[in-house]
Every structure is written in C-alpha cells, then in structure tokens.
C-alpha cells in the first residue's frame, strides 16, 4: 500500500513490520521522529514490543545488548554525538555477535553546534564491527531496515542503517508499505543461535586472555567475509516477494563511462539527473552509488568500474589529516586490481550545505580536465567570504 510518509517514519514502519520485541532510545535530533513513532505504536497496541526509555545513548545501546543477549529481536536509533557516546558499546555488540539493528541518521559533529547532514558520525564508527548500509530515499530506508534484520540474524552481526539528516529523515514521499503477512514471509520470527537462558546457564562476554582473544577477532572477520553472500541471498528473496532490489553497489550508466562519479546517500538522486544531462551533451559519465560500506564490496567495485579512466568521489565527510573517507576506501580497494583508474577526492555538503547540480558538474569538469588527482581532497562549495579559497 502506497502512503506518503516521512523518511524517519519509513524506518519506523519497517521496525513495526519486523515485529521487534525490544526497543530503546534517547531522543536526539534528527533521529527522534523514528523512536517517537515507535513509542506511539507500542502505546497504541500496534506493536507488541517493549519500548524502554533511557537516560542516554550509552544506556540505549546497553539496553538492546542485554535484550539481544536474552534472545530478543532489538532496535535502536541515534545520530551524531549520540552515536559517539555509544562508541564503547558498539564494540561489545559486534564482538558478542548480537544481531542488533540501529538506524543512524547522519548529522554533523560539533563544535560548532550543527544538527544538519554530515556522514562523519557513522563513518567514524567504521572499525567497530558493524555492517553499514547507506540509503538514498524513503522506500530504500524502509526496505533496507527490513533487510537489515534478515542480514543481522543470518550473519550474527549488528547492522547500522544510515540515512541523511533532513534531506531524507524529514522529507515526505510516497513509500510502498507492505502488509504484515507479506513482511512475515520475508522476515520470520527470530530464533537466536546463542542466548542467555536460566534453564541452561551460561556466561557471555567474559574475560578473553591472550590464548583466545585473537581467534575471537578472526571469527568476527570470518563473519564479515560471509556478509556479501548472505546479503545477496536475502536480497534475492526480497526481490521475489516485493519486486525491488538495490545491490551492495549500484552502477548507473557506467558501461562505457570514462569518468564515474561515486557517492552515498541522497546526493545520489541529484547526481543521477546530472549524469543524464551530461550524457545528453555527449559526455561519457556514469554514477556509482555506495550502499554497503562495511564490509566494503571490493570485488564488486572492481567489476563495476569497468574501463573507466577516472573516479570522482564526493564525500560528505572528512578524516582530518587524510581526506575524504569514501575516496580513501575506493583507492585502497582498487590498489591490487587489474586496473587502477585515478581516484579524485572532493569534499562538499558538510554540515547540511546543499550539494547542487552545479557542484556535481563542477566536480565532473575538474576531474575531466586534470591529468592527475590533487594530493589532498579538493573542497568544493566553500564560501570565499568566510574561508578564502
């Protein structure tokens, strides 16, 4: 059934359809609408799950870790400094192999205080052992959340569903919301592989001395290596039931492209139109949408770039002292490939600033005219009145 819903509520609907048993959250803009809706669903009896109000994001993650350890299907949501406060417990969730799903609404970190879009918060958690999936629109946010539960419970690893602040979280658009019976066909009741049970006492997350700690970490990496196949299996089933699929990466008009634009999130929609406009003018340009960031789909990336000579990466994030994070990951993934197109790194759209068609075309033109990438990431769209360029 098609409904016009806010991006945040598309996530809430997916959590309801997933029959989540325990939810906890602390309100932080711009993720608050997700958990507000879920608390209303529980209060109205539309969900049988339990909503736990907590005093911080650290406690929110601790609560779902406890519930997941007991065998419940769990969910939480956060943004920005809330995610940063969770950082310690993100490691505990992944190392315990708990299939927690979390919606993370990208928001800039302070200071200065900023509530708008920036991907640095989620990308700063890239080494915590969480699967990360990035969304472009409301339909994808709903579908990805349902997929996330299936993937988490197959891989025994937590999943972060990432969406842009305001551009997606607070934008209303038509979304196909499936009925409960159809959702149940795709996502059956959760059957935990390991759980705390008073009838069979055990301990979880105990001391790991040098004789076993390294092997535990290797096991997590082995689980991550299984994720692409598990994701493909889940998405095949999703397509059979719902008629939609997204892939770990999406290539648009890349078959004969000489230059490929690469990015994640809502800027993809604008870039797709720019690619069409440039194609109409005879430019051989394509678009690569990054959807799965952890684990990074290296083999798929190498196949999709084809014979492109250059890749221009738009990062709405920044690693100080290094540069754009997606650009660095793509560069590393291509390093041992048969072909190594030049990777151009651009920074724009930080703190919620618009990424306009003009900015995207400027990125394309700069890449086309340059023989080699700049040593550092190029910042595009700076205000010369504030920061002389």
């Amino acid at each position: 059934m098609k409904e016009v819903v806010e991006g945040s509520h598309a996530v809430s609907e997916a959590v309801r359809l997933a029959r989540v048993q325990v939810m906890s959250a602390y309100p932080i803009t711009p993720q608050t609408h997700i958990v507000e809706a879920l608390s209303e669903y529980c209060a109205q009896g539309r969900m049988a799950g339990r909503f736990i109000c907590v005093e911080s994001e650290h406690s929110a993650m601790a609560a779902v870790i406890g519930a997941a350890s007991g065998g419940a299907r769990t969910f939480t949501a956060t943004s920005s400094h809330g995610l940063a406060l969770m950082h310690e417990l993100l490691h505990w969730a992944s190392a315990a192999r708990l299939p927690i799903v979390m919606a993370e609404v990208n928001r800039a970190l302070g200071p200065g205080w900023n509530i708008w879009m920036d991907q640095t918060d989620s990308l700063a958690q890239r080494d915590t052992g969480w699967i990360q999936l990035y969304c472009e629109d409301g339909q994808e946010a709903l579908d990805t959340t349902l997929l996330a539960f299936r993937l988490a419970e197959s891989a025994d690893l937590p999943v972060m569903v990432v969406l842009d602040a305001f551009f997606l979280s607070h934008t209303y658009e038509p979304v196909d919301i499936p009925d409960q019976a159809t959702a149940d066909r795709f996502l059956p009741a959760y059957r935990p592989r390991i759980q705390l049970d008073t009838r069979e006492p055990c301990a979880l997350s105990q001391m790991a001395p040098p004789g076993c700690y390294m092997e535990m970490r290797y096991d997590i990496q082995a689980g991550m290596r299984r994720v692409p196949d598990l994701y493909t299996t889940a998405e095949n089933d999703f397509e059979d039931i719902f008629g939609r699929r997204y892939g770990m990466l999406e290539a648009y008009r890349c078959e004969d492209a000489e230059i490929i634009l690469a990015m994640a999130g809502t800027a993809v929609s604008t870039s797709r139109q720019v690619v069409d406009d440039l194609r109409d003018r005879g430019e051989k340009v394509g678009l690569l949408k990054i959807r799965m960031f952890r684990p990074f789909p290296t083999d798929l990336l190498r196949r999709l770039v084809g014979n492109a000579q250059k890749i221009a990466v738009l990062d709405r994030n920044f690693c100080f002292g290094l540069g754009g994070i997606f650009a660095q990951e793509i560069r590393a993934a291509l390093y041992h490939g048969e072909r190594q197109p030049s990777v151009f790194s651009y920074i724009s759209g930080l703190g919620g600033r618009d990424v306009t068609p003009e900015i995207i075309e400027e990125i394309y033109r700069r890449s086309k005219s340059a023989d080699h990438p700049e040593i550092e990431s190029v910042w595009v769209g700076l205000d010369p009145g504030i920061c002389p360029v």
Side-chain angles (χ1 to χ4, degrees):
M1 177 177 65
K2 287 275 189 182
E3 292 188 28
V4 177
V5 298
E6 189 184 69
S8 292
H9 292 164
V11 175
S12 308
E13 289 291 331
V15 174
R16 176 184 62 81
L17 291 167
R19 298 185 185 271
V20 170
Q21 296 163 298
V22 177
M23 296 147 279
S24 67
Y26 186 81
I28 181 171
T29 302
Q31 70 82 18
T32 310
H33 289 187
I34 297 173
V35 295
E36 280 181 344
L38 292 173
S39 67
E40 290 173 1
Y41 295 163
C42 292
Q44 295 164 356
R46 294 182 65 192
M47 287 187 70
R50 180 175 179 181
F51 189 94
I52 304 174
C53 294
V54 292
E55 75 282 2
S56 74
E57 290 86 354
H58 191 281
S59 296
M61 182 53 62
V64 291
I65 285 174
S69 299
R73 181 173 283 165
T74 58
F75 174 83
T76 188
T78 193
S79 296
S80 186
H81 291 278
L83 181 64
L85 185 59
M86 285 182 178
H87 177 76
E88 173 195 0
L89 290 177
L90 297 184
H91 290 277
W92 284 85
S94 61
R97 305 300 295 273
L98 299 174
I100 298 164
V101 173
M102 174 167 62
E104 206 291 305
V105 184
N106 280 142
R107 169 189 151 181
L109 293 155
W113 202 245
N114 182 298
I115 62 171
W116 292 277
M117 161 63 192
D118 193 307
Q119 297 166 332
T120 306
D121 58 347
S122 59
L123 293 173
Q125 311 303 322
R126 60 190 178 274
D127 302 329
T128 57
W130 282 62
I131 299 165
Q132 288 195 14
L133 304 173
Y134 286 73
C135 302
E136 179 184 350
D137 56 35
Q139 187 68 64
E140 192 170 342
L142 186 149
D143 294 348
T144 302
T145 304
L146 278 176
L147 274 163
F149 284 103
R150 174 78 172 267
L151 181 58
E153 292 164 11
S154 300
D156 291 310
L157 285 169
V159 179
M160 193 181 296
V161 178
V162 188
L163 50 153
D164 290 358
F166 298 103
F167 295 110
L168 176 48
S169 66
H170 286 57
T171 298
Y172 283 78
E173 57 187 315
V175 174
D176 184 7
I177 302 175
D179 58 57
Q180 187 65 63
T182 306
D184 290 343
R185 283 175 54 204
F186 174 73
L187 186 66
Y190 174 43
R191 291 182 173 81
R193 184 171 60 88
I194 299 172
Q195 67 182 106
L196 292 169
D197 189 338
T198 55
R199 295 165 296 184
E200 298 181 23
C202 67
L204 300 180
S205 302
Q206 296 302 295
M207 179 71 73
C212 64
Y213 182 89
M214 192 167 167
E215 285 74 13
M216 291 172 65
R217 279 349 190 227
Y218 179 82
D219 188 59
I220 296 170
Q221 173 61 11
M224 275 288 187
R225 283 199 297 266
R226 296 176 56 231
V227 167
D229 288 341
L230 293 172
Y231 177 88
T232 300
T233 298
E235 194 166 55
N236 288 342
D237 291 345
F238 190 91
E239 184 179 26
D240 288 343
I241 295 171
F242 300 104
R244 298 183 292 274
R245 71 179 301 119
Y246 301 95
M248 294 173 283
L249 301 171
E250 178 192 325
Y252 180 70
R253 306 191 77 166
C254 288
E255 295 82 2
D256 63 341
E258 295 176 354
I259 299 176
I260 292 176
L261 303 172
M263 65 202 68
T266 54
V268 171
S269 298
T270 307
S271 298
R272 200 177 280 114
Q273 182 61 54
V274 172
V275 166
D276 287 342
D277 293 343
L278 288 170
R279 281 281 180 171
D280 289 343
R281 287 179 253 156
E283 303 288 341
K284 290 189 175 181
V285 57
L287 173 64
L288 186 70
K289 171 181 168 181
I290 302 167
R291 195 170 133 70
M292 179 181 286
F293 177 68
R294 281 291 181 270
F296 197 79
T298 298
D299 292 340
L300 179 59
L301 173 72
R302 291 173 180 173
R303 293 198 301 271
L304 292 180
V305 298
N307 294 316
Q309 300 166 10
K310 300 175 181 179
I311 301 176
V313 185
L314 168 62
D315 271 301
R316 302 183 79 171
N317 59 76
F318 195 74
C319 176
F320 297 101
L322 183 64
I325 296 170
F326 285 132
Q328 300 299 331
E329 296 271 344
I330 290 173
R331 191 173 285 135
L334 295 173
Y335 184 77
H336 289 294
E338 293 183 6
R339 296 190 64 262
Q340 295 181 15
S342 297
V343 178
F344 292 74
S345 176
Y346 299 95
I347 309 298
S348 194
L350 302 187
R353 188 167 298 186
D354 286 340
V355 177
T356 63
E358 292 75 21
I359 284 176
I360 295 166
E361 185 162 343
E362 179 183 349
I363 287 171
Y364 171 75
R365 297 293 180 191
R366 280 176 176 257
S367 302
K368 183 178 180 180
S369 63
D371 293 330
H372 304 286
E374 299 281 348
I375 295 175
E376 294 187 359
S377 299
V378 176
W379 294 61
V380 182
L382 291 173
D383 185 341
I386 299 174
C387 178
V389 180

